[in-house]
Amino acid sequence: MSGNGNAAATAEENSPKMRVIRVGTRKSQLARIQTDSVVTTLKASYPGLQFEIIAMSTTGDKILDTALSKIGEKSLFTKELEHALEKNEVDLVVHSLKDLPTVLPPGFTIGAICKRENPHDAVVFHPKFVGKTLETLPEKSVVGTSSLRRAAQLQRKFPHLEFRSIRGNLNTRLRKLDEQQEFSAIILATAGLQRMGWHNRVGQILHPEECMYAVGQGALGVEVRAKDQDILDLVGVLHDPETLLRCIAERAFLRHLEGGCSVPVAVHTAMKDGQLYLTGGVWSLDGSDSIQETMQATIHVPAQHEDGPEDDPQLVGITARNIPRGPQLAAQNLGISLANLLLSKGAKNILDVARQLNDAH
């Protein structure tokens, strides 16, 4: 190959033929913003292709009067979108990665994990409490969150507060906070607030010592048909190697613990000097009982390589053929090892009791 022009021409020839790529998404404003960002990146990589966005409502969008942990459905925000993928009505679907179960239905895979935004949780305060922190809120103030993970950790850290479920998309929750007098503050993902352009509503960002985040929080996952090699190749350009490795470790930890949204499980990951650090924890529903540990593994963040596909199965639902396999396996093994360490210290009992209590209420 003699020059960049030839390389570009070859890349264009190798990409799927000129056609419309249909992208599925939830209907919420945040989901549309996230999907638009993915489509913008794909358009820049494939200027010859057209992209059509198809929005639909999911079960989780429709059931708004029940806490997520009570609904007992692992694919609350994904099932209808996967149905459209299966029927070939869309070619790929953009999700918040934390909504995707660690075991996907047969025939699907996560073909790309995009660069992660801030994964931490944020506190948004009622206008009359702007300038406060959770620590300085008055006794018995009510804080809204739909997450058992957040409630368990924060009850332990801030016993003077009460935590109550709040449902709905970001717009709905903010409206409930501002217009009703029930909540003094609500907890939301920082990434969602930033993507919506609502930086000014972030009153406090919670550090890992206060509240570790959900597996995959802040990252977007692109789900595709597992055997659709054209689309797998197309979305592969979206993979961010560091985010991918951190999320493989997190998802492997959660899967091995058999956690889900009906039990409080949280993580924190960091890459530094060739080391991947993974902290994971489990809590009882009221936060009174918990186990947390940290492990690390030597993993160098790889550049994407073009050595051709490696015909290996998925790791925790993820296919990343353009990223070397070794670091991916090391990340997965780190997650499994940390889960085993917690299980050896009694995590299963804490999670079983949490699950039973949650089901009983």
Side-chain angles (χ1 to χ4, degrees), residues 128-160:
K128 69 182 176 190
F129 291 121
V130 167
K132 295 274 190 189
T133 64
L134 289 182
E135 199 163 3
T136 59
L137 277 177
E139 191 85 18
K140 297 277 191 277
S141 292
V142 176
V143 177
T145 173
S146 57
S147 157
L148 293 179
R149 168 189 63 80
R150 291 170 179 150
Q153 292 182 80
L154 294 172
Q155 278 180 107
R156 184 186 179 100
K157 193 83 182 170
F158 304 103
H160 70 293

Side-chain angles (χ1 to χ4, degrees), residues 14 31 50 74 92 112 117 141 183 197 203 210 256 275 299 303 309 318:
N14 290 341
Q50 282 184 287
K74 277 189 175 170
L92 56 111
E117 300 242 358
S141 292
F183 299 103
E210 298 167 311
H256 204 66
Q275 297 287 312
I299 300 178
I318 299 163

Side-chain angles (χ1 to χ4, degrees), residues 24-25 35 47 49 101 145 154 159 189 191 222 241 272 283 287 291 313 327 340 350 354:
T25 177
T35 301
L49 291 177
T145 173
L154 294 172
V222 180
K272 191 176 179 189
W283 287 260
I291 303 172
N340 282 330
I350 291 176

Side-chain angles (χ1 to χ4, degrees), residues 287-299:
S288 60
D289 205 1
S290 73
I291 303 172
Q292 294 173 61
E293 292 290 344
T294 302
M295 293 182 80
Q296 68 194 79
T298 301
I299 300 178

